[in-house]
């Protein structure tokens, strides 16, 4: 009989129900009128008197253990079931708010600019951010030791100054000329790096879009007309441009392009510093030395190039006052551009 008692005790201890109903079945099977414990109680009546004391204690311990375990299990499962049920029943609970992301203003403006030039027949070209001296400087008519290299504060790799982070995406134009014969019409968006102190108007990482057009008979008038079309598409039909003479090693002649200030309509405000004009890019006719260095015959072909900062265009278009906002990824700032999609 001790074996039977111990066996039942073990089963009580190992009992691991999933539902309250399962516990009730078990309770009836063990403690019910026709249950196993009741049967053992019956059997107990027939045991010899000298065993009664020992077996009686065993049976009492079994009964107490079974009752206690069943009650405890029932309580635990009831709590869990009640909790589950309340999740299902309370349809009025507020849903968890999923915050949808939005496109970064830099991506938005870059895409807009790329689309404008795509309509003029330009295709997108890309290139590496880690470059060599040839693609960033030498092939673009920057002679060694030429002070023009200081126009762009460059991040060099200390152990090998031939390797550097590109300071402009003109390097992609060089890579395109290596691969492709004219006519060439590419737009080169990408990240660029300059060793500049971070402030509201400068950052050591920013985005550029440069363009290159080479064919027979490409003129400065073509350049001016293309950029006027660009300015009207980005800043509105009322926009006009002006060009001021400038210098870049890779273009001759070179110019700085201004667009009429769209915030004050040209009257003069604090963004355009009272001039009515905003500087938006550099441009010029590709220097014959650059064509030669890249295996293109300057007697047969001519071309123009231009380059702009995406952050700057986005600042002027949306009136963003601090360049650092683009890099902080504060959703309160980023969500303001949702509607610009
Ligand atoms: N590469 C020049 C810069 O980064 C921009 C530029 C491109 C100017 C093409 C003229 C022509 O400052």
């Amino acid at each position: 009989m001790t074996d039977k008692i111990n066996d039942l005790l073990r089963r009580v201890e190992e009992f691991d129900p999933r539902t309250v109903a399962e516990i009730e079945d078990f309770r009836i099977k063990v403690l019910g009128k026709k249950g196993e414990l009741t049967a053992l109680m019956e059997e107990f009546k027939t045991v010899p008197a000298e065993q009664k004391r020992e077996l009686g204690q065993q049976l009492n311990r079994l009964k107490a253990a079974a009752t206690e375990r069943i009650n405890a299990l029932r309580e635990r499962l009831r709590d869990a079931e009640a909790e589950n049920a309340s999740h299902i029943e309370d349809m009025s609970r507020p849903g968890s708010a999923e915050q949808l992301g939005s496109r970064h203003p830099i991506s938005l403006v870059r895409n807009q600019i790329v689309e404008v030039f795509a309509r003029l027949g330009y295709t997108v070209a890309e290139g590496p951010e880690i470059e060599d001296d040839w693609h960033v400087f030498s092939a673009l008519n920057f002679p060694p030791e030429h002070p023009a290299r200081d126009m762009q504060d460059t991040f060099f790799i200390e152990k090998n100054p031939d390797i550097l982070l590109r300071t402009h995406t003109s390097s992609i134009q060089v890579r395109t000329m290596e691969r492709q014969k004219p006519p060439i019409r590419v737009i080169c968006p990408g990240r660029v790096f300059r060793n500049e102190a971070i402030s509201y108007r400068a950052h050591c990482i920013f985005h550029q879009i440069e363009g290159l057009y080479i064919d027979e008979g490409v003129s400065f008038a073509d350049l001016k007309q293309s950029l006027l079309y660009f300015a009207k598409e980005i800043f509105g039909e009322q926009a006009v441009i002006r060009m001021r003479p400038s210098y870049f090693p890779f273009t001759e002649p070179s110019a700085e392009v201004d667009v009429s200030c769209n915030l004050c309509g040209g009257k003069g405000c604090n963004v355009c510093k009272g001039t009515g004009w905003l500087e938006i890019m550099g441009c010029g006719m590709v220097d014959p030395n650059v064509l030669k260095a890249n295996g293109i015959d300057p007697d047969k072909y001519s071309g123009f190039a231009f380059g702009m900062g995406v952050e700057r265009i986005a600042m002027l278009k949306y009136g963003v006052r601090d360049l650092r906002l683009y890099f902080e990824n504060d959703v309160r700032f980023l969500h303001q551009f949702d509607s610009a999609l």
Side-chain angles (χ1 to χ4, degrees), residues 140 142 151-152 167-170 173 192 194 206 208-211 248 250-251 254-256 281-285 304-308:
L140 288 162
F142 286 82
M151 283 165 73
Q152 303 174 352
T167 54
H168 52 188
T169 56
S170 305
Q173 305 180 355
V192 299
R194 292 185 194 181
F206 60 100
Q208 267 195 339
I209 294 192
E210 297 214 352
F248 298 102
F250 33 89
T251 46
S254 305
E256 220 55 78
M281 67 172 103
C283 69
M285 300 305 291
F304 63 70
F306 54 88
M308 67 190 97

Side-chain angles (χ1 to χ4, degrees), residues 5-51:
I5 291 170
N6 285 339
D7 175 56
L8 185 54
L9 190 62
R10 188 183 47 79
R11 279 188 286 129
V12 165
E13 275 161 8
E14 287 172 4
F15 178 47
D16 182 25
R18 303 258 171 267
T19 61
V20 176
E22 231 177 286
I23 300 175
E24 185 57 13
D25 286 349
F26 187 76
R27 189 190 65 79
I28 292 167
K29 210 174 129 237
V30 176
L31 300 172
K33 277 205 184 92
K34 293 178 183 158
E36 289 184 55
L37 191 71
T38 322
L40 285 171
M41 293 294 192
E42 281 307 308
E43 199 179 329
F44 176 71
K45 288 178 189 161
T46 65
V47 298
E50 66 274 17
Q51 292 179 17

Side-chain angles (χ1 to χ4, degrees), residues 57 93 98 100 131 138 151 182 209 255 271 276 312 322 331 334:
Q57 279 174 357
R93 279 166 70 109
E98 298 294 342
L100 278 186
E131 267 291 6
S138 298
M151 283 165 73
I209 294 192
V271 176
R312 176 150 178 88
D322 192 327
V331 290
L334 297 178

Side-chain angles (χ1 to χ4, degrees), residues 131-156 160-168 193-196 247-250:
E131 267 291 6
D132 51 30
D133 180 276
W134 173 258
H135 291 93
V136 175
F137 293 126
S138 298
L140 288 162
N141 200 33
F142 286 82
E145 316 299 333
H146 192 282
R149 288 180 183 230
D150 296 340
M151 283 165 73
Q152 303 174 352
D153 282 326
T154 310
F155 286 114
F156 292 98
N160 181 357
D162 188 43
I163 309 290
L164 45 100
L165 296 178
R166 68 181 178 199
T167 54
H168 52 188
F193 307 85
R194 292 185 194 181
N195 189 8
E196 284 184 27
Y247 173 77
F248 298 102
F250 33 89

